[in-house]
Amino acid sequence: MNESVPIRRAVAQPEPCTGLPAEPLSLLSGFTERMRPVLSPGWATPGAWKPVVGIQETERGFVFEVELPGACCDNVLVEVRVRDLCVSGEVPAKGSAPDSVRRSGRFCYRSTLPLSADARSMQANLDRGLLTISVSKLRTR
């Protein structure tokens, strides 16, 4: 069953640097405040496992293949913020067999997109536990 996975896009752009403050410690507090959205749930998920991911570059773009056996579309979140890609969610446990090797529980994968990637063109599909994320390359003149 091939399902399209929605992609959540953040509109926040990083603030430009305008100069150094007179108080050096204010740099650290400013940095902490700017990092808060990046470290919010879904971007940094404590206790989550990292799925196996294959990345391919083609002439037209990039393809991320994320192995999520047992996952369904409702439990997978694909987010993009400026140049950062985050895939997170949860794979439900199947049965109670103690010798099961299939991972379950919360997962999170994070990557910075290549500079030539057009994040606006991103598409994601989940088919039998394989999440395929396609990103076109920016057109050069």
Side-chain angles (χ1 to χ4, degrees):
M1 171 169 56
N2 190 354
E3 298 179 82
S4 180
V5 177
I7 299 170
R8 189 165 68 182
R9 303 173 194 280
V11 294
Q13 296 287 331
E15 296 179 17
C17 294
T18 55
L20 295 175
E23 179 59 42
L25 288 179
S26 66
L27 281 175
L28 184 58
S29 64
F31 175 76
T32 303
E33 287 305 310
R34 285 194 303 268
M35 290 299 294
R36 191 172 312 281
V38 174
L39 299 176
S40 67
W43 290 91
T45 309
W49 54 274
K50 183 177 175 183
V52 174
V53 178
I55 305 170
Q56 298 175 28
E57 181 176 4
T58 66
E59 278 187 33
R60 295 186 176 175
F62 302 91
V63 178
F64 294 78
E65 292 182 331
V66 186
E67 294 181 16
L68 299 171
C72 65
C73 187
D74 295 338
N75 295 341
V76 176
L77 176 63
V78 178
E79 294 180 274
V80 63
R81 290 185 186 170
V82 188
R83 302 221 61 78
D84 288 330
L85 167 67
C86 181
V87 178
S88 61
E90 188 165 354
V91 174
K94 297 279 185 185
S96 59
D99 58 347
S100 176
V101 293
R102 180 180 284 179
R103 294 200 88 163
S104 62
R106 295 180 352 169
F107 64 87
C108 184
Y109 169 76
R110 208 172 150 218
S111 178
T112 300
L113 295 172
L115 291 174
S116 60
D118 181 5
R120 295 170 296 173
S121 71
M122 188 177 295
Q123 295 180 350
N125 289 296
L126 182 64
D127 187 20
R128 296 184 195 142
L130 183 65
L131 175 66
T132 304
I133 302 169
S134 303
V135 187
S136 297
K137 287 184 179 177
L138 292 168
R139 295 183 187 173
T140 57
R141 295 180 189 186

